[in-house]
Amino acid sequence: MTVVAGTALLGGALVAGTSTPASADPVALTLDYVCDVPRVGERTVEVEFTTDLPPTVPVGQQIRSFEVATHWTFDAATRQALRDAVVGGFGEGAGTGDLAFTAPGLTLPLSLPYTVDASTDDFSFDAAAWSPSLSVTQAGEYTITAEDFALSLPLLDTGGYPIAGDPAPLACSVAPGQDNRLAHWELGPAEPGTYSYALEGAVHLRPGEEGETVTGDIELRFDDATGTVQGESTLLPTTATLTAFGVLPVTAQAEFDTGTTTGTFADGRLAGTTPTEIRIPRIEIRGIVVGGGPDCRASEPTIIDLWSPEDQPFVPETGGHLSGTYDIAPLENCGPLTSLISSFATGEDFGIELDLDAGPPDDMD
């Protein structure tokens, strides 16, 4: 389970949140708190919470930082006790209020810095704070609950003037027997996010030779819940210029039949594998056809391994750069010169560089 709370780190489970924010609706909750009220002791105080939280959060999306506003109300007996103690109100103060973000197997405490407005004639006052952003990347049950407060309030006399001394503490805890949940979600598995990209780059059909341009498209499905990626791609035919025996110019037409791409995506790193059948329908030396045909191909599927460089994070919404390697097995069914052609057209650890850009390629229907 991965949870985001600002940039905090808890047991290696938290990462920076970059996913789409979930929309929010108004939320209201009224709770009784047991407070140690300055000069009068333990009293019950009513605290009304208002905030904006989404009714549901699709896995992989983010809850933006939200304001938690509170309104504090003292009952008649407490107000009279304060007046009897020659307290006429509270000045502007500050303090902390706690929330708890709970997920399966984890409770993340959130201590919010509150600012407190001066009280009105009946001692009621408002206090507000902002939460960090939160996001969730695994299905399960989640809650946000209101917890304790520790405020610091300047005391005013009955004439409205500050009473000498440090601000008085107002420590409060939730009275037992109440539902203190501000939000509760039961989240199902995330639907895989699907993105289409135009791809363009270079493949190397012979070690040491200049790369040949390759274009196509690819559709990838990112499953945030499992961190897996799956997709289908198309590579357009290309023509490669090789050199045989160091002197003879060879032109080879190459076609690609790609299988399903499978891989992983985490923390901006994409890694995938694509099985590919390579066919060579035409091979020429100095303009003379010396091999090829409909059945001329690598004798085994080529496995193309691709990954995003560490310093170039891949962004599903926009794309990114991928580097990789592949092998080409010996050719078969390419005519009388099959073995000779294989000697300079196949091998191991060939390179490939691709750029994936969101959207369909310009030259494809």
Side-chain angles (χ1 to χ4, degrees), residues 178-276:
Q178 301 178 94
D179 184 353
N180 61 332
R181 294 179 299 180
L182 285 169
H184 174 242
W185 302 284
E186 293 186 6
L187 308 180
E191 291 294 327
T194 301
Y195 301 92
S196 296
Y197 308 94
L199 64 82
E200 183 174 359
V203 295
H204 303 273
L205 300 178
R206 178 73 173 152
E209 300 285 353
E210 184 178 351
E212 303 296 338
T213 299
V214 63
T215 59
D217 65 4
I218 185 169
E219 182 178 89
L220 294 177
R221 297 178 295 280
F222 293 80
D223 191 329
D224 292 334
T226 63
T228 58
V229 178
Q230 210 172 50
E232 307 296 335
S233 61
T234 299
L235 292 178
L236 297 183
T238 190
T239 299
T241 301
L242 311 175
T243 302
F245 312 118
V247 293
L248 292 177
V250 178
T251 300
Q253 295 179 1
E255 299 176 349
F256 309 95
D257 185 5
T258 55
T260 298
T261 297
T262 57
T264 59
F265 178 73
D267 300 330
R269 296 296 306 281
L270 176 64
T273 298
T274 305
T276 304

Side-chain angles (χ1 to χ4, degrees), residues 37-82:
V37 179
R39 296 198 175 187
V40 300
E42 187 175 286
R43 300 282 175 153
T44 299
V45 180
E46 182 183 274
V47 181
E48 180 182 356
F49 292 82
T50 55
T51 187
D52 291 316
L53 287 167
T56 186
V57 185
V59 172
Q61 291 197 11
Q62 186 181 69
I63 307 169
R64 284 194 179 114
S65 174
F66 53 92
E67 184 181 30
V68 181
T70 61
H71 181 73
W72 296 63
T73 302
F74 296 85
D75 61 23
T78 303
R79 295 196 299 269
Q80 186 58 52
L82 285 165

Side-chain angles (χ1 to χ4, degrees), residues 85-112:
V86 198
V87 176
F90 307 114
E92 295 181 354
T96 59
D98 296 337
L99 300 179
F101 185 70
T102 303
L106 172 69
T107 297
L108 178 66
L110 304 173
S111 184
L112 309 186

Side-chain angles (χ1 to χ4, degrees), residues 243-319:
T243 302
F245 312 118
V247 293
L248 292 177
V250 178
T251 300
Q253 295 179 1
E255 299 176 349
F256 309 95
D257 185 5
T258 55
T260 298
T261 297
T262 57
T264 59
F265 178 73
D267 300 330
R269 296 296 306 281
L270 176 64
T273 298
T274 305
T276 304
E277 182 180 285
I278 297 179
R279 296 187 299 273
I280 311 293
R282 188 179 182 89
I283 304 171
E284 299 179 357
I285 296 179
R286 295 189 184 277
I288 301 173
V289 177
V290 297
D295 297 321
C296 177
R297 68 189 66 205
S299 56
E300 297 179 4
T302 293
I303 305 301
I304 301 177
D305 293 316
L306 289 164
W307 57 86
S308 53
E310 289 188 17
D311 60 344
Q312 299 181 52
F314 190 89
V315 180
E317 293 81 2
T318 58

